[in-house]
Amino acid sequence: QVSPALRTPRLPVWLCSVAGRHGVLFGTDRRLLSHWKSERIFHLYFYSGQQEQSQTAHLTIDTHSHHWEEAQGEDPGSPGKRRPALEMAIRTRWTGATVSWNGTDPFF
């Protein structure tokens, strides 16, 4: 029999498969599961267990950012505009969101 905590998680947790590699994206704010207003600016953590990851990545997600807040004058196809695969996966849930890696070099 499946525990009720497994059927209805108490914290937001997503298992990710990005570019053939697996990881866990999770949050510590349980309101993210039930209160849409908490989806304005929030924090997620990502852990993949890969050798290149020495600690859990702390990400800040802003779902109300605007495209004009990004660096002006960059060509969308330039390497400076490319986003890590994990950011693109996050944007499948929160379209148009900006993701800050908070000083960590994007590795996934």
mmCIF file of all heavy atoms in Angstrom, residues 40-58:
data_model
loop_
_atom_site.group_PDB
_atom_site.id
_atom_site.type_symbol
_atom_site.label_atom_id
_atom_site.label_comp_id
_atom_site.label_asym_id
_atom_site.label_seq_id
_atom_site.Cartn_x
_atom_site.Cartn_y
_atom_site.Cartn_z
ATOM 1 N N ARG A 40 5.338 33.727 -7.613
ATOM 2 C CA ARG A 40 5.888 34.988 -8.139
ATOM 3 C C ARG A 40 7.418 34.908 -8.179
ATOM 4 O O ARG A 40 8.028 34.904 -9.216
ATOM 5 C CB ARG A 40 5.395 36.163 -7.294
ATOM 6 C CG ARG A 40 6.130 37.469 -7.486
ATOM 7 C CD ARG A 40 5.847 38.059 -8.880
ATOM 8 N NE ARG A 40 6.351 39.403 -9.001
ATOM 9 C CZ ARG A 40 7.562 39.722 -9.444
ATOM 10 N NH1 ARG A 40 8.401 38.789 -9.777
ATOM 11 N NH2 ARG A 40 7.931 40.971 -9.543
ATOM 12 N N ILE A 41 8.024 34.879 -7.035
ATOM 13 C CA ILE A 41 9.471 34.663 -6.891
ATOM 14 C C ILE A 41 9.633 33.579 -5.831
ATOM 15 O O ILE A 41 9.099 33.709 -4.730
ATOM 16 C CB ILE A 41 10.217 35.938 -6.455
ATOM 17 C CG1 ILE A 41 10.121 37.010 -7.536
ATOM 18 C CG2 ILE A 41 11.679 35.621 -6.151
ATOM 19 C CD1 ILE A 41 10.771 38.328 -7.164
ATOM 20 N N PHE A 42 10.337 32.526 -6.180
ATOM 21 C CA PHE A 42 10.510 31.428 -5.230
ATOM 22 C C PHE A 42 11.840 30.735 -5.479
ATOM 23 O O PHE A 42 12.534 31.004 -6.462
ATOM 24 C CB PHE A 42 9.338 30.434 -5.321
ATOM 25 C CG PHE A 42 9.113 29.890 -6.700
ATOM 26 C CD1 PHE A 42 9.684 28.688 -7.083
ATOM 27 C CD2 PHE A 42 8.333 30.572 -7.616
ATOM 28 C CE1 PHE A 42 9.476 28.182 -8.362
ATOM 29 C CE2 PHE A 42 8.114 30.080 -8.889
ATOM 30 C CZ PHE A 42 8.684 28.882 -9.258
ATOM 31 N N HIS A 43 12.195 29.857 -4.576
ATOM 32 C CA HIS A 43 13.485 29.164 -4.644
ATOM 33 C C HIS A 43 13.262 27.678 -4.888
ATOM 34 O O HIS A 43 12.352 27.065 -4.329
ATOM 35 C CB HIS A 43 14.258 29.358 -3.339
ATOM 36 C CG HIS A 43 14.480 30.791 -3.017
ATOM 37 N ND1 HIS A 43 15.480 31.537 -3.593
ATOM 38 C CD2 HIS A 43 13.793 31.641 -2.217
ATOM 39 C CE1 HIS A 43 15.419 32.771 -3.149
ATOM 40 N NE2 HIS A 43 14.394 32.869 -2.309
ATOM 41 N N LEU A 44 14.095 27.134 -5.750
ATOM 42 C CA LEU A 44 14.131 25.701 -5.987
ATOM 43 C C LEU A 44 15.574 25.244 -5.819
ATOM 44 O O LEU A 44 16.511 26.034 -5.954
ATOM 45 C CB LEU A 44 13.641 25.354 -7.396
ATOM 46 C CG LEU A 44 12.176 25.618 -7.703
ATOM 47 C CD1 LEU A 44 11.874 25.284 -9.162
ATOM 48 C CD2 LEU A 44 11.269 24.819 -6.782
ATOM 49 N N TYR A 45 15.727 23.975 -5.556
ATOM 50 C CA TYR A 45 17.051 23.386 -5.394
ATOM 51 C C TYR A 45 17.144 22.221 -6.366
ATOM 52 O O TYR A 45 16.161 21.533 -6.621
ATOM 53 C CB TYR A 45 17.243 22.918 -3.953
ATOM 54 C CG TYR A 45 17.094 24.058 -2.981
ATOM 55 C CD1 TYR A 45 15.847 24.401 -2.476
ATOM 56 C CD2 TYR A 45 18.188 24.831 -2.614
ATOM 57 C CE1 TYR A 45 15.698 25.470 -1.615
ATOM 58 C CE2 TYR A 45 18.050 25.900 -1.755
ATOM 59 C CZ TYR A 45 16.793 26.215 -1.264
ATOM 60 O OH TYR A 45 16.654 27.288 -0.422
ATOM 61 N N PHE A 46 18.349 22.015 -6.887
ATOM 62 C CA PHE A 46 18.538 20.941 -7.856
ATOM 63 C C PHE A 46 19.748 20.110 -7.460
ATOM 64 O O PHE A 46 20.819 20.641 -7.144
ATOM 65 C CB PHE A 46 18.748 21.496 -9.268
ATOM 66 C CG PHE A 46 18.913 20.413 -10.288
ATOM 67 C CD1 PHE A 46 17.821 19.688 -10.725
ATOM 68 C CD2 PHE A 46 20.162 20.101 -10.786
ATOM 69 C CE1 PHE A 46 17.971 18.665 -11.651
ATOM 70 C CE2 PHE A 46 20.317 19.084 -11.714
ATOM 71 C CZ PHE A 46 19.224 18.366 -12.146
ATOM 72 N N TYR A 47 19.553 18.797 -7.486
ATOM 73 C CA TYR A 47 20.657 17.882 -7.214
ATOM 74 C C TYR A 47 20.608 16.747 -8.213
ATOM 75 O O TYR A 47 19.553 16.145 -8.433
ATOM 76 C CB TYR A 47 20.581 17.316 -5.793
ATOM 77 C CG TYR A 47 21.767 16.458 -5.479
ATOM 78 C CD1 TYR A 47 23.016 17.032 -5.246
ATOM 79 C CD2 TYR A 47 21.661 15.080 -5.462
ATOM 80 C CE1 TYR A 47 24.126 16.253 -4.982
ATOM 81 C CE2 TYR A 47 22.767 14.287 -5.195
ATOM 82 C CZ TYR A 47 23.990 14.875 -4.958
ATOM 83 O OH TYR A 47 25.099 14.105 -4.708
ATOM 84 N N SER A 48 21.756 16.477 -8.835
ATOM 85 C CA SER A 48 21.801 15.412 -9.845
ATOM 86 C C SER A 48 22.702 14.247 -9.452
ATOM 87 O O SER A 48 22.597 13.181 -10.025
ATOM 88 C CB SER A 48 22.290 15.975 -11.180
ATOM 89 O OG SER A 48 23.647 16.356 -11.074
ATOM 90 N N GLY A 49 23.600 14.463 -8.501
ATOM 91 C CA GLY A 49 24.528 13.403 -8.134
ATOM 92 C C GLY A 49 25.643 13.216 -9.138
ATOM 93 O O GLY A 49 26.474 12.316 -9.007
ATOM 94 N N GLN A 50 25.685 14.067 -10.165
ATOM 95 C CA GLN A 50 26.724 13.977 -11.177
ATOM 96 C C GLN A 50 28.060 14.430 -10.597
ATOM 97 O O GLN A 50 28.100 15.237 -9.664
ATOM 98 C CB GLN A 50 26.377 14.842 -12.390
ATOM 99 C CG GLN A 50 25.104 14.440 -13.098
ATOM 100 C CD GLN A 50 25.223 13.102 -13.802
ATOM 101 O OE1 GLN A 50 26.262 12.767 -14.359
ATOM 102 N NE2 GLN A 50 24.163 12.328 -13.758
ATOM 103 N N GLN A 51 29.123 13.966 -11.163
ATOM 104 C CA GLN A 51 30.459 14.271 -10.674
ATOM 105 C C GLN A 51 30.752 15.779 -10.709
ATOM 106 O O GLN A 51 31.404 16.304 -9.824
ATOM 107 C CB GLN A 51 31.488 13.516 -11.510
ATOM 108 C CG GLN A 51 32.892 13.624 -10.976
ATOM 109 C CD GLN A 51 33.835 12.732 -11.745
ATOM 110 O OE1 GLN A 51 33.487 12.192 -12.788
ATOM 111 N NE2 GLN A 51 35.030 12.567 -11.236
ATOM 112 N N GLU A 52 30.234 16.492 -11.706
ATOM 113 C CA GLU A 52 30.516 17.919 -11.821
ATOM 114 C C GLU A 52 29.743 18.765 -10.804
ATOM 115 O O GLU A 52 29.994 19.956 -10.666
ATOM 116 C CB GLU A 52 30.234 18.433 -13.232
ATOM 117 C CG GLU A 52 28.779 18.400 -13.648
ATOM 118 C CD GLU A 52 28.352 17.120 -14.345
ATOM 119 O OE1 GLU A 52 29.078 16.114 -14.294
ATOM 120 O OE2 GLU A 52 27.269 17.129 -14.941
ATOM 121 N N GLN A 53 28.817 18.161 -10.065
ATOM 122 C CA GLN A 53 28.046 18.900 -9.069
ATOM 123 C C GLN A 53 28.574 18.593 -7.679
ATOM 124 O O GLN A 53 28.432 17.499 -7.166
ATOM 125 C CB GLN A 53 26.563 18.548 -9.153
ATOM 126 C CG GLN A 53 25.725 19.372 -8.210
ATOM 127 C CD GLN A 53 24.252 19.059 -8.303
ATOM 128 O OE1 GLN A 53 23.838 18.106 -8.926
ATOM 129 N NE2 GLN A 53 23.452 19.881 -7.652
ATOM 130 N N SER A 54 29.188 19.599 -7.051
ATOM 131 C CA SER A 54 29.760 19.382 -5.724
ATOM 132 C C SER A 54 28.768 19.678 -4.606
ATOM 133 O O SER A 54 28.936 19.211 -3.490
ATOM 134 C CB SER A 54 31.015 20.249 -5.545
ATOM 135 O OG SER A 54 30.683 21.613 -5.700
ATOM 136 N N GLN A 55 27.727 20.481 -4.891
ATOM 137 C CA GLN A 55 26.702 20.769 -3.884
ATOM 138 C C GLN A 55 25.372 21.036 -4.572
ATOM 139 O O GLN A 55 25.321 21.267 -5.775
ATOM 140 C CB GLN A 55 27.101 21.962 -3.031
ATOM 141 C CG GLN A 55 27.256 23.258 -3.811
ATOM 142 C CD GLN A 55 27.782 24.376 -2.925
ATOM 143 O OE1 GLN A 55 28.337 24.133 -1.865
ATOM 144 N NE2 GLN A 55 27.606 25.597 -3.364
ATOM 145 N N THR A 56 24.313 21.025 -3.802
ATOM 146 C CA THR A 56 22.981 21.292 -4.338
ATOM 147 C C THR A 56 22.925 22.711 -4.874
ATOM 148 O O THR A 56 23.361 23.650 -4.217
ATOM 149 C CB THR A 56 21.923 21.095 -3.233
ATOM 150 O OG1 THR A 56 22.026 19.766 -2.731
ATOM 151 C CG2 THR A 56 20.522 21.326 -3.769
ATOM 152 N N ALA A 57 22.409 22.874 -6.080
ATOM 153 C CA ALA A 57 22.296 24.193 -6.694
ATOM 154 C C ALA A 57 21.053 24.899 -6.161
ATOM 155 O O ALA A 57 19.973 24.311 -6.111
ATOM 156 C CB ALA A 57 22.208 24.058 -8.209
ATOM 157 N N HIS A 58 21.218 26.146 -5.774
ATOM 158 C CA HIS A 58 20.113 26.974 -5.279
ATOM 159 C C HIS A 58 19.696 27.900 -6.412
ATOM 160 O O HIS A 58 20.485 28.728 -6.867
ATOM 161 C CB HIS A 58 20.576 27.767 -4.062
ATOM 162 C CG HIS A 58 19.587 28.775 -3.597
ATOM 163 N ND1 HIS A 58 19.970 29.956 -3.041
ATOM 164 C CD2 HIS A 58 18.239 28.786 -3.604
ATOM 165 C CE1 HIS A 58 18.900 30.665 -2.728
ATOM 166 N NE2 HIS A 58 17.841 29.964 -3.063
#
